[in-house]
Amino acid sequence: MRLARRMNRLGTETAFEVLARARALEAEGREIVHLEIGEPDFSTPQNITAAAIDALHAGQTHYTPSVGIPELREAVAQEIRRTRGIPAEAENVVIVPGGKPIIYFTVMALVESGDEVIYPNPGFPIYESMINLVQAKPVPVPLLEENDFCFDLPALKKAINKRTTLIILNSPQNPTGGVLCKRDLEEIAELAIDYDCYILSDEIYSRILYDTEFASIASLPGLWERTIILDGFSKTYAMTGWRMGYGVMPSDLVPAFGRLATNSVSCTAAFTQWAGVEGLCGSQEEVDKMVARFRERRDVMVEGLNAIPGVSCRTPSGAFYAFPNIKSFDRSAQEIADYLLQEAGVAVLPGTSFGSYGEGYLRLSYANSVENIEKALIRMHEALEKL
Ligand code: PLP
């Protein structure tokens, strides 16, 4: 087959590849603990599922406007006003199938080939993939363990220049579980204004926070006018398979995002959008319960990892990932991840799946039962002691 050359520039997400390898071992009869995939293991709250079923029965089975139904756009705007304190209206909101299309649409709409785009390393691999797709220059800024995985501000200052069109931020972060603090956000905001850049603020884990209040860069003075907020339903409401997310942005960008939706997905499924209205406007009790459960699991995971000789792990403040340091084993993160899958039957991701600054780390998702986490920790402990 002769694929178009642009396909060579398109990356992927290793989590799905590791999942496939783990499934192949399971097919051979091995028992694997899955800590590789980043999705809540809980069911979608009942009230949301019921709203989708009601919407299906009510005939919500047709196309909707490309940017989403007005009711959900308004519900999202309300949520953003409440949680970020910015004057978002329905006209600022675009509903899409999952958070990912907002990354794609932002880069397509705002970045020319040859422009420079700053993004976190380690970071969600789709950022770099999209930047490469449009033939822009990916400019990674390290997130360092010694800074609690905050942006390396001196590196950012060095990296930014007049060709920088877009800065991509993610907080709480995948894969480190780190959170960008207010002071960092303020410095990044100042640079974005000085260099007249847009910001894509990936806030998909905004509700999964343990120790701090959520802070969005869009809430800072002068930033709402240049920020595209990405958030959605996948992580907050355990709805990864529903495919629903949104972007909140200056209203003059909305027609471009709508056109990209029209040209690709047409719209997000109608009945899922009605379920989304229930998600945002209905009881939030289930979300609070899920976050409480994630906190318990985080504590089990971090304590267990730190008890393994040669492993050290900071306590993540958000998302559902631990990012332990495994440098003392003197092997690559890929080697250690392969070893743990084969030897211990524990599927994890090498930190390098998220960029070169992930070398020396593993990413473990603790969106799994305490029982499975404990089992994985025992097996990892035994396997790593043999190295
Ligand atoms: N952004 C980050 C940082 C993520 O970790 C993910 C999913 O893992 C997404 C965006 C995409 O979310 P969705 O499944 O809603 O497309």
Side-chain angles (χ1 to χ4, degrees):
M1 197 195 303
R2 221 186 54 207
L3 290 174
R5 270 202 302 275
R6 75 175 68 83
M7 289 305 290
N8 296 330
R9 301 196 297 271
L10 207 53
T12 186
E13 255 190 273
T14 331
F16 290 102
E17 288 165 13
V18 175
L19 177 66
R21 280 173 54 209
R23 292 262 184 261
L25 289 173
E26 284 170 328
E28 291 167 13
R30 293 280 306 277
E31 198 240 333
I32 307 292
V33 184
H34 292 272
L35 303 180
E36 76 279 41
I37 273 280
E39 66 171 346
D41 55 322
F42 304 109
S43 302
T44 303
Q46 277 298 327
N47 61 318
I48 299 180
T49 308
I53 293 168
D54 288 350
L56 277 169
H57 286 310
Q60 297 295 343
T61 53
H62 298 277
Y63 290 131
T64 77
S66 290
V67 290
I69 58 172
E71 292 81 354
L72 183 54
R73 295 177 77 199
E74 179 51 40
V76 169
Q78 260 181 42
E79 170 77 2
I80 294 293
R81 287 198 295 271
R82 188 179 67 75
T83 52
R84 277 79 163 177
I86 48 181
E89 298 291 343
E91 65 179 29
N92 300 111
V93 178
V94 178
I95 309 295
V96 281
K100 264 184 191 163
I102 294 298
I103 305 173
Y104 182 49
F105 291 0
T106 300
V107 173
M108 287 292 281
L110 296 177
V111 181
E112 293 281 6
S113 67
D115 285 355
E116 297 190 9
V117 180
I118 289 174
Y119 65 106
N121 180 340
F124 191 46
I126 304 306
Y127 306 143
E128 187 178 317
S129 173
M130 288 299 119
I131 300 164
N132 282 326
L133 181 68
V134 300
Q135 295 185 298
K137 181 174 171 200
V139 182
V141 166
L143 303 178
L144 303 174
E145 186 184 4
E146 53 268 34
N147 290 343
D148 242 342
F149 298 115
C150 278
F151 243 48
D152 183 346
L153 290 173
L156 174 64
K157 283 183 190 150
K158 250 168 109 185
I160 198 164
N161 64 54
K162 59 182 191 322
R163 291 181 300 280
T164 310
T165 329
L166 179 69
I167 302 172
I168 303 180
L169 302 178
N170 174 217
S171 179
Q173 287 149 12
N174 178 8
T176 65
V179 171
L180 296 178
C181 59
K182 191 95 189 288
R183 197 177 36 86
D184 281 10
L185 292 178
E186 283 166 358
E187 290 211 31
I188 299 167
E190 214 171 286
L191 288 168
I193 292 172
D194 286 353
Y195 286 90
D196 195 19
C197 313
Y198 276 102
I199 291 194
L200 169 60
S201 183
D202 184 341
E203 303 178 2
I204 196 91
Y205 298 99
S206 62
R207 296 281 293 277
I208 306 176
L209 258 179
Y210 308 110
D211 310 308
T212 45
E213 285 283 298
F214 178 66
S216 171
I217 196 160
S219 313
L220 298 176
L223 265 285
W224 163 226
E225 293 81 356
R226 58 179 70 246
T227 302
I228 297 103
I229 296 174
L230 178 166
D231 203 341
F233 297 82
S234 300
K235 317 286 175 175
T236 304
Y237 299 100
M239 290 173 71
T240 47
W242 291 64
R243 309 311 302 139
M244 194 161 45
Y246 51 82
V248 184
M249 61 199 78
S251 55
D252 55 355
L253 288 180
V254 169
F257 278 58
R259 205 144 27 103
L260 284 158
T262 304
N263 277 274
S264 52
V265 292
S266 291
C267 64
T268 305
F271 59 96
T272 65
Q273 293 192 56
W274 284 101
V277 174
E278 174 60 25
L280 290 172
C281 303
S283 164
Q284 303 298 299
E285 208 179 306
E286 290 301 313
V287 179
D288 296 338
K289 278 194 206 154
M290 284 192 251
V291 175
R293 299 273 295 282
F294 282 141
R295 178 199 287 274
E296 275 168 35
R297 295 158 171 200
R298 173 195 70 163
D299 294 344
V300 172
M301 177 69 100
V302 171
E303 199 187 321
L305 287 169
N306 282 318
I308 302 175
V311 178
S312 65
C313 184
R314 291 197 174 224
T315 303
S317 304
F320 36 69
Y321 307 112
F323 203 61
N325 182 322
I326 41 119
K327 290 180 184 170
S328 72
F329 294 99
D330 231 3
R331 304 196 186 194
S332 73
Q334 182 70 60
E335 279 174 285
I336 300 278
D338 289 344
Y339 172 73
L340 289 175
L341 181 60
Q342 286 300 335
E343 177 75 17
V346 180
V348 303
L349 297 183
T352 39
S353 294
F354 301 87
S356 53
Y357 283 90
E359 188 52 275
Y361 300 88
L362 299 175
R363 191 199 76 168
L364 284 65
S365 163
Y366 50 85
N368 207 325
S369 64
V370 168
E371 192 190 346
N372 280 336
I373 292 170
E374 283 173 341
K375 190 192 291 177
L377 287 165
I378 292 170
R379 293 190 191 173
M380 285 171 63
H381 198 134
E382 283 170 6
L384 289 173
E385 265 183 345
K386 289 188 208 152
L387 286 183

